[in-house]
Amino acid sequence: MKNCLSTVKRFVCMILIIIGLISVFTVSFVSTAIAASVSTPEFKSIEAIDGGIKFTWDSRGADVLYRIYWKSANGWKRMTTTSNTSFVERDVHAGKGYTYTIRCVDKSESSFISDFNSSGWYVRYYDMPVVSKVNSKENKDGTCTYSFSWSNTAPKYNIEMRYAGEKTWRTVATNYTGTSYAHTPTSPELGDETRLRTYRVYATDGSYKLSPEGVSPYHMTKRYSDTLQYRPMITDAAGWYYALMWSMDLYDTDFSECPGYNGDDTSVMTQAYDEGFYTAGTRERLISLRNAAPTRQFIANSIKLAYQYPTKPISSKHNASVNTSMLTRSGDYYYAKDTTNRSINTAAHYGWFLPDYYGKLYPNRLVTADEMDYLIECLTLYKKWHGKTLIAFGDSIMHGSGDPINSGQGYMDTLADNKRNDFTAKRFPRYDYTRFEGLCDMIGTKFGMKHRDYSYPGATIAAELVPNTSGVSSAKWQFAYDAPYKSHVANQVRAAIKEGQKADLILFNGGTNDTGLPHVSYSTNKTGRVYDYDYCPSNEYSGWSQNTAYHNQYGHQKILLPTYYETESSFQSGFIKAMQLMTGADSEAAKSRFYNAPIIHIRSQEMNWGTLINQKIYGQKGIELAQKYGCGKTYSVDMYRSGFDANYSFCYNYYISDINAEFSRGVHPNSRGYAKFFLPQIEEQMLNIE
């Protein structure tokens, strides 16, 4: 009996132990699973914008990536993976509905770490309504009625109004079901007839914004139009010419000081014709436009002739050297190839009038109030910056993969690519002798600036390393002989200082090539850079780590590595050095002639290059360092937040150059990508500079 009881006790104990072990393992597994997971993401906002549908969501942590899907007839299809907390879907078509969902993945992009909404979010997209010119009539009770209509066939529309010079739109009607509207404002807030006004319309279903906003041209009632101040609030061709000549420094103050002004706008048109601003057609035809709102083609002709812009096509896909133009006529719009409307090509190339997401331009449409505001801003920038000097530093994003241009811009090349070790005596070279147009060229040409581009494809912020070939077996790496112990971008600034370069404005980017390589330890037969060697984001920004110090332990390296090694070996230290050279805070900049110039720092867009986490970390760090070491004169452009996602096939197809696609797919904007995404943000910062 005792033996039986003992056996039973042993059996019960074993069962309890097994249960306990199962419990421990179960708890451990559950705990680990929870620690490795994040909550299912939800789209917190969905809205149609110019060029697509924008989705936003809340962050799930610093090391989390997000994968976006759309639902096809065969199930969910992957669209892109991003480290951002927003995404713009651009491959949309009017009147069609789409269903989307989102899921989290780890930073290696190898494992899902969240569940997803299996039903997804459904949204129907509509084209931007094209709003007609506004007409007004006086009523017997003293009020005024404003009438306009629009194209499109969405179920409902919201209608808003604002006055010229305002940023805030005022609601006029919600969930309206027609395609024309007569507005008779009775409140003082909406009824002021003495001011220019504009209306905008967008589709809605009561919850989501389903189309971009269509905006009318500016309008003022006839009985007050004679009191209209022409700068900057203009509605007709004479007013446009006034603003254009004002930007060209022909005069500075008000309409009455326009050359040849004799009390009416006809004289303005005559003077504009005599000045050669518009040479197509007859003078009588030109003057007959004085009471008409300008068309896009009219304005494109004006600015091309006035600023003597070269004829520039804008590529619709990939490299503009292959697709030499994107515009051809079909009815009222232009797309694909064009050989006759070069002025509108040039206007699009410099970002004045951009193609829609179908790749179409509409030269014969009247210029909307929003477009007119942008034009006046650009004219203001021209007046502010033309004749001044722009210089640029950075990598291939700055240097450009847009249209091919002659290699004679600025200084000529001085050294072959494999002989850059003689840098201290000679200029940092370019290796692409047929050069491609980049940001410095586009901004400089658009605003009439002298410009020189010191940027260089492949340039890094941290110093570059190559495998050790010296025979010293104990060291894996030595600094590259073609960029010895110095940051490429800092070297570009040194070159400009050494050459006595002057500047009134600096464009600067960097970090693309620093972020482009993955988290791996490199072997002796693979080129890398110091920040990649056993890379760890947590200590890389400390400036001096165990890994970087490793290269200074051997006699061979001690000979090659003076104090520059300590100050430019990492992304952070190289970035600081470049900033200090640009701002004159470094002793090497004692002879600088541009240390007072304001700096616009540009963070690159999200790319199909390297790791998404690297891009996020380095990009944000670059903005922080630019502000910290910018001496209060540095402005930042964050292309990472612009919705330009080169991982996404639609962006790649329309806004990316595929030059050297084998090595850099999804990296370099084409001229259309520069015009749509980069130029407006750079111009915004140029306006902010005092």
Side-chain angles (χ1 to χ4, degrees):
M1 186 68 180
K2 286 184 179 181
N3 287 338
C4 259
L5 288 173
S6 178
T7 301
V8 170
K9 286 180 180 180
R10 284 198 298 270
F11 178 75
V12 170
C13 286
M14 290 176 66
I15 293 297
L16 291 173
I17 290 171
I18 290 171
I19 292 172
L21 287 173
I22 290 173
S23 300
V24 169
F25 288 135
T26 302
V27 170
S28 175
F29 173 78
V30 171
S31 176
T32 302
I34 292 172
S37 297
V38 297
S39 59
T40 303
E42 301 278 328
F43 292 134
K44 68 177 184 179
S45 70
I46 302 174
E47 65 170 341
I49 63 169
D50 183 16
I53 303 171
K54 184 176 182 179
F55 302 85
T56 60
W57 56 90
D58 291 327
S59 172
R60 291 297 189 267
D63 291 335
V64 176
L65 301 177
Y66 309 94
R67 189 161 292 168
I68 315 298
Y69 297 85
W70 71 279
K71 197 168 191 177
S72 71
N74 298 319
W76 293 108
K77 300 293 184 182
R78 175 178 171 179
M79 298 175 66
T80 189
T81 302
T82 177
S83 56
N84 254 307
T85 53
S86 65
F87 168 70
V88 178
E89 152 71 309
R90 301 185 186 278
D91 190 8
V92 290
H93 301 274
K96 292 187 177 181
Y98 305 87
T99 302
Y100 303 89
T101 196
I102 180 174
R103 194 173 191 181
C104 296
V105 295
D106 64 14
K107 65 182 180 181
S108 68
E109 300 187 46
S110 60
S111 300
F112 291 114
I113 55 174
S114 79
D115 202 347
F116 70 103
N117 183 332
S118 59
S119 298
W121 288 261
Y122 177 83
V123 59
R124 184 178 292 270
Y125 180 86
Y126 293 90
D127 279 341
M128 179 184 71
V130 178
V131 185
S132 70
K133 183 179 178 180
V134 179
N135 293 307
S136 59
K137 69 173 184 177
E138 299 176 27
N139 301 316
K140 292 181 180 180
D141 61 0
T143 61
C144 189
T145 297
Y146 302 88
S147 301
F148 51 94
S149 60
W150 56 91
S151 64
N152 216 331
T153 53
K156 298 176 183 178
Y157 296 93
N158 287 353
I159 304 170
E160 299 172 330
M161 189 218 81
R162 70 169 170 83
Y163 295 112
E166 293 184 336
K167 299 296 184 182
T168 302
W169 290 86
R170 307 158 191 263
T171 299
V172 171
T174 58
N175 298 322
Y176 182 74
T177 57
T179 55
S180 63
Y181 192 78
H183 181 216
T184 307
T186 56
S187 68
E189 180 186 19
L190 301 178
D192 188 348
E193 297 178 45
T194 67
R195 302 170 67 185
L196 281 167
R197 67 174 59 222
T198 182
Y199 291 88
R200 75 175 183 181
V201 179
Y202 60 89
T204 181
D205 62 358
S207 298
Y208 296 145
K209 176 184 166 189
L210 302 181
S211 79
E213 304 95 339
V215 182
S216 75
Y218 276 126
H219 176 79
M220 175 175 278
T221 55
K222 186 176 181 179
R223 61 186 175 188
Y224 287 103
S225 61
D226 291 340
T227 65
L228 178 64
Q229 294 297 313
Y230 275 77
R231 187 183 61 167
M233 299 178 286
I234 59 179
T235 60
D236 58 17
W240 163 249
Y241 272 131
Y242 164 79
L244 186 63
M245 291 195 290
W246 169 75
S247 76
M248 296 288 289
D249 270 346
L250 295 185
Y251 55 95
D252 290 322
T253 53
D254 58 34
F255 189 64
S256 63
E257 295 190 19
C258 175
Y261 178 74
N262 61 7
D264 62 47
D265 55 7
T266 301
S267 62
V268 180
M269 306 295 286
T270 302
Q271 184 67 30
Y273 189 91
D274 291 341
E275 293 285 342
F277 280 25
Y278 192 77
T279 57
T282 65
R283 179 183 298 185
E284 289 72 25
R285 179 179 179 275
L286 177 65
I287 295 173
S288 72
L289 294 170
R290 65 184 181 272
N291 293 320
T295 65
R296 290 175 167 190
Q297 184 68 67
F298 177 83
I299 288 180
N301 247 324
S302 302
I303 59 178
K304 181 179 184 296
L305 290 169
Y307 297 148
Q308 300 181 350
Y309 283 161
T311 296
K312 288 288 186 181
I314 180 169
S315 56
S316 62
K317 287 192 176 186
H318 305 308
N319 177 21
S321 65
V322 177
N323 298 276
T324 55
S325 177
M326 67 151 292
L327 303 176
T328 190
R329 184 162 186 167
S330 177
D332 191 39
Y333 58 80
Y334 291 73
Y335 67 101
K337 190 173 183 181
D338 175 279
T339 57
T340 58
N341 289 275
R342 293 181 176 178
S343 60
I344 198 72
N345 283 13
T346 292
H349 182 88
Y350 292 113
W352 298 90
F353 301 108
L354 291 171
D356 65 16
Y357 64 94
Y358 294 125
K360 299 174 184 175
L361 275 169
Y362 299 82
N364 298 322
R365 285 186 182 168
L366 299 180
V367 175
T368 69
D370 282 354
E371 288 172 335
M372 188 61 76
D373 288 346
Y374 175 66
L375 288 161
I376 297 303
E377 284 183 355
C378 287
L379 296 181
T380 302
L381 284 175
Y382 186 93
K383 185 176 177 65
K384 180 177 181 179
W385 292 104
H386 81 96
K388 296 185 178 180
T389 300
L390 169 70
I391 58 175
F393 308 111
D395 53 40
S396 56
I397 300 295
M398 178 67 69
H399 194 68
S401 292
D403 290 325
I405 58 176
N406 295 329
S407 60
Q409 182 74 47
Y411 284 80
M412 296 296 290
D413 298 322
T414 56
L415 286 174
D417 186 40
N418 62 353
K419 294 182 179 179
R420 281 182 279 153
N421 56 316
D422 194 19
F423 166 77
T424 55
K426 297 186 178 182
R427 179 181 182 275
F428 198 94
R430 303 184 179 102
Y431 68 74
D432 53 338
Y433 292 94
T434 301
R435 204 159 65 80
F436 292 93
E437 187 173 48
L439 288 171
C440 181
D441 306 292
M442 295 184 78
I443 290 290
T445 302
K446 183 172 183 178
F447 298 113
M449 304 178 73
K450 303 170 186 176
H451 53 283
R452 287 180 179 170
D453 187 1
Y454 287 84
S455 65
Y456 183 81
T460 61
I461 295 289
E464 188 173 8
L465 296 179
V466 296
N468 186 346
T469 57
S470 66
V472 180
S473 60
S474 55
K476 282 187 176 182
W477 296 93
Q478 67 184 40
F479 280 90
Y481 72 97
D482 61 344
Y485 59 76
K486 293 182 181 179
S487 158
H488 291 172
V489 175
N491 268 356
Q492 295 167 16
V493 186
R494 290 187 179 100
I497 293 172
K498 184 177 179 61
E499 292 173 0
Q501 177 67 58
K502 295 180 180 179
D504 301 291
L505 178 65
I506 297 170
L507 296 182
F508 158 60
N509 90 311
T512 305
N513 298 292
D514 298 76
T515 68
L517 299 175
H519 304 277
V520 295
S521 295
Y522 289 97
S523 62
T524 56
N525 63 359
K526 186 174 182 180
T527 301
R529 297 181 174 94
V530 68
Y531 46 79
D532 298 309
Y533 187 82
D534 289 333
Y535 172 80
C536 178
S538 62
N539 64 27
E540 199 278 337
Y541 292 125
S542 64
W544 189 267
S545 68
Q546 179 68 32
N547 291 327
T548 54
Y550 168 86
H551 302 288
N552 206 27
Q553 295 175 1
Y554 304 96
H556 176 68
Q557 274 73 19
K558 285 181 180 178
I559 295 172
L560 291 178
L561 310 182
T563 55
Y564 286 111
Y565 177 68
E566 299 180 37
T567 58
E568 298 174 38
S569 62
S570 70
F571 175 83
Q572 174 169 290
S573 56
F575 200 107
I576 293 172
K577 171 62 75 171
M579 290 298 304
Q580 291 175 333
L581 288 168
M582 282 185 279
T583 59
D586 190 279
S587 59
E588 287 188 78
K591 296 183 179 180
S592 172
R593 302 175 72 184
F594 54 81
Y595 64 89
N596 281 325
I599 301 166
I600 298 179
H601 163 247
I602 303 167
R603 178 187 183 183
S604 294
Q605 80 279 3
E606 197 162 23
M607 301 169 288
N608 185 10
W609 169 250
T611 71
L612 296 174
I613 292 296
N614 275 13
Q615 292 178 42
K616 180 179 180 180
I617 294 172
Y618 278 95
Q620 186 57 44
K621 191 65 180 182
I623 287 180
E624 293 172 7
L625 293 171
Q627 296 306 309
K628 182 175 181 180
Y629 294 93
C631 297
K633 57 187 178 184
T634 299
Y635 304 78
S636 288
V637 168
D638 192 352
M639 296 309 305
Y640 184 78
R641 304 293 184 188
S642 68
F644 186 10
D645 178 1
N647 289 290
Y648 174 36
S649 60
F650 189 87
C651 277
Y652 172 77
N653 288 336
Y654 285 92
Y655 303 115
I656 292 290
S657 166
D658 60 358
I659 299 172
N660 297 323
E662 179 183 355
F663 306 103
S664 58
R665 178 180 170 89
V667 176
H668 302 110
N670 60 17
S671 55
R672 185 176 177 186
Y674 282 129
K676 183 174 180 64
F677 296 103
F678 282 78
L679 264 61
Q681 292 206 46
I682 294 172
E683 290 161 359
E684 181 180 354
Q685 298 307 318
M686 291 173 71
L687 282 168
N688 291 335
I689 295 171
E690 297 296 333

